Amino acid sequence: MNRLPKEKRDKLILVCMITGIALLVIYLLLIHPEYASIQEAKAQTETKRQKLENMQDAIDKAATTAATLEDTVQLLSQSEKDMATGDPNAWIYDTIRGFKSQYKMDITIASPTSIGEVDIMGKFPYRQLKVTINGSAYYHDLGKFIADFENDYPHGRICNLSIHPSGNGEKLTFTMDIVALIKPNQS
């Protein structure tokens, strides 16, 4: 540039500056906004692709989820088999009468059955029935009755057990509450 005359050199510098400014204006006004919109489109595409993959995963898992639901419903149905069904009063009387026949015990139902909400858990989908029984039995028969009852009826519990010696020999008198879950009506 030293060999160019001053006038040509100034014109060349001016042309270079104008070209640089023009390129900068073109970049800022045309290229940069387009580049930003391309980046935004890439981000949106990636978001949509991720949503699509999640939906595809959900569709792929739908059959597995349906099978799991079916298994769970069958398991629940199997678990509900020993719950009180139909008339709860008749169910509890029949259950106690049939169950006590295996043991040498004198059992009488001391109170009518009461049906209400489950009092051991809040917002539980089942209702409960409660009946108080009393009677007399030998120590081992009473223990075996309680253990076998709670093992045979996992949805029933013996509560408020009170045991006292009876006046006639080795027998004990007892009072207990039997609490059982009631199977909800299937519509």
Short mmCIF file of all heavy atoms in Angstrom, two decimals, residues 1 7-22:
data_model
loop_
_atom_site.label_atom_id
_atom_site.label_comp_id
_atom_site.label_asym_id
_atom_site.label_seq_id
_atom_site.Cartn_x
_atom_site.Cartn_y
_atom_site.Cartn_z
N MET A 1 0.80 -1.17 0.00
CA MET A 1 0.00 0.00 0.00
C MET A 1 0.86 1.26 0.00
O MET A 1 0.39 2.30 -0.38
CB MET A 1 -0.89 0.00 1.22
CG MET A 1 -2.11 -0.85 1.02
SD MET A 1 -3.55 -0.13 1.58
CE MET A 1 -3.80 -0.62 3.16
N GLU A 7 -4.28 9.07 -2.92
CA GLU A 7 -5.68 9.14 -3.33
C GLU A 7 -6.25 7.74 -3.56
O GLU A 7 -7.35 7.41 -3.10
CB GLU A 7 -5.77 9.98 -4.61
CG GLU A 7 -7.16 10.40 -4.95
CD GLU A 7 -7.13 11.29 -6.18
OE1 GLU A 7 -6.57 12.39 -6.14
OE2 GLU A 7 -7.70 10.83 -7.19
N LYS A 8 -5.53 6.85 -4.22
CA LYS A 8 -5.99 5.49 -4.47
C LYS A 8 -6.02 4.70 -3.17
O LYS A 8 -6.90 3.88 -2.95
CB LYS A 8 -5.09 4.80 -5.49
CG LYS A 8 -5.38 5.21 -6.90
CD LYS A 8 -4.62 4.32 -7.83
CE LYS A 8 -4.99 4.63 -9.25
NZ LYS A 8 -4.36 3.76 -10.19
N ARG A 9 -5.01 4.94 -2.36
CA ARG A 9 -4.95 4.24 -1.07
C ARG A 9 -6.16 4.61 -0.22
O ARG A 9 -6.78 3.76 0.39
CB ARG A 9 -3.65 4.59 -0.36
CG ARG A 9 -3.45 3.75 0.87
CD ARG A 9 -2.21 4.14 1.58
NE ARG A 9 -2.47 5.52 2.10
CZ ARG A 9 -1.57 6.26 2.66
NH1 ARG A 9 -0.34 5.86 2.76
NH2 ARG A 9 -1.87 7.45 3.10
N ASP A 10 -6.52 5.89 -0.16
CA ASP A 10 -7.68 6.34 0.61
C ASP A 10 -8.96 5.73 0.05
O ASP A 10 -9.85 5.32 0.81
CB ASP A 10 -7.77 7.87 0.61
CG ASP A 10 -6.66 8.52 1.43
OD1 ASP A 10 -6.05 7.78 2.25
OD2 ASP A 10 -6.45 9.72 1.29
N LYS A 11 -9.07 5.67 -1.29
CA LYS A 11 -10.25 5.07 -1.90
C LYS A 11 -10.33 3.57 -1.57
O LYS A 11 -11.41 3.04 -1.29
CB LYS A 11 -10.24 5.26 -3.42
CG LYS A 11 -10.58 6.65 -3.85
CD LYS A 11 -10.61 6.73 -5.36
CE LYS A 11 -10.90 8.15 -5.82
NZ LYS A 11 -10.92 8.27 -7.25
N LEU A 12 -9.19 2.89 -1.57
CA LEU A 12 -9.15 1.46 -1.25
C LEU A 12 -9.55 1.23 0.21
O LEU A 12 -10.33 0.32 0.51
CB LEU A 12 -7.76 0.90 -1.54
CG LEU A 12 -7.59 -0.60 -1.32
CD1 LEU A 12 -8.50 -1.38 -2.25
CD2 LEU A 12 -6.15 -1.00 -1.53
N ILE A 13 -9.05 2.05 1.08
CA ILE A 13 -9.41 1.94 2.50
C ILE A 13 -10.90 2.20 2.67
O ILE A 13 -11.59 1.49 3.40
CB ILE A 13 -8.55 2.90 3.35
CG1 ILE A 13 -7.12 2.42 3.38
CG2 ILE A 13 -9.09 3.01 4.76
CD1 ILE A 13 -6.16 3.38 4.08
N LEU A 14 -11.41 3.21 1.98
CA LEU A 14 -12.82 3.54 2.05
C LEU A 14 -13.67 2.39 1.52
O LEU A 14 -14.67 2.01 2.11
CB LEU A 14 -13.11 4.83 1.28
CG LEU A 14 -14.54 5.35 1.35
CD1 LEU A 14 -14.92 5.71 2.77
CD2 LEU A 14 -14.72 6.54 0.42
N VAL A 15 -13.28 1.79 0.41
CA VAL A 15 -14.02 0.65 -0.17
C VAL A 15 -13.99 -0.52 0.80
O VAL A 15 -14.99 -1.20 1.02
CB VAL A 15 -13.44 0.27 -1.55
CG1 VAL A 15 -13.96 -1.07 -2.02
CG2 VAL A 15 -13.75 1.35 -2.57
N CYS A 16 -12.83 -0.78 1.41
CA CYS A 16 -12.71 -1.88 2.39
C CYS A 16 -13.60 -1.62 3.59
O CYS A 16 -14.27 -2.53 4.10
CB CYS A 16 -11.26 -2.05 2.82
SG CYS A 16 -10.23 -2.81 1.55
N MET A 17 -13.64 -0.40 4.09
CA MET A 17 -14.47 -0.07 5.24
C MET A 17 -15.96 -0.18 4.89
O MET A 17 -16.75 -0.73 5.65
CB MET A 17 -14.16 1.35 5.74
CG MET A 17 -12.87 1.39 6.52
SD MET A 17 -12.34 3.02 7.09
CE MET A 17 -13.77 3.83 7.61
N ILE A 18 -16.33 0.31 3.73
CA ILE A 18 -17.73 0.22 3.29
C ILE A 18 -18.12 -1.24 3.12
O ILE A 18 -19.21 -1.66 3.53
CB ILE A 18 -17.97 1.05 2.00
CG1 ILE A 18 -17.85 2.54 2.31
CG2 ILE A 18 -19.32 0.72 1.39
CD1 ILE A 18 -17.92 3.44 1.10
N THR A 19 -17.23 -2.04 2.54
CA THR A 19 -17.49 -3.47 2.35
C THR A 19 -17.64 -4.15 3.71
O THR A 19 -18.55 -4.96 3.91
CB THR A 19 -16.36 -4.14 1.53
OG1 THR A 19 -16.22 -3.44 0.30
CG2 THR A 19 -16.65 -5.59 1.29
N GLY A 20 -16.75 -3.81 4.66
CA GLY A 20 -16.84 -4.40 6.01
C GLY A 20 -18.13 -4.01 6.70
O GLY A 20 -18.79 -4.86 7.33
N ILE A 21 -18.48 -2.74 6.60
CA ILE A 21 -19.73 -2.27 7.21
C ILE A 21 -20.92 -2.95 6.54
O ILE A 21 -21.87 -3.38 7.21
CB ILE A 21 -19.82 -0.73 7.16
CG1 ILE A 21 -18.78 -0.12 8.09
CG2 ILE A 21 -21.22 -0.25 7.53
CD1 ILE A 21 -18.66 1.39 7.97
N ALA A 22 -20.88 -3.08 5.21
CA ALA A 22 -21.98 -3.72 4.49
C ALA A 22 -22.10 -5.18 4.92
O ALA A 22 -23.22 -5.69 5.13
CB ALA A 22 -21.76 -3.61 2.99
#
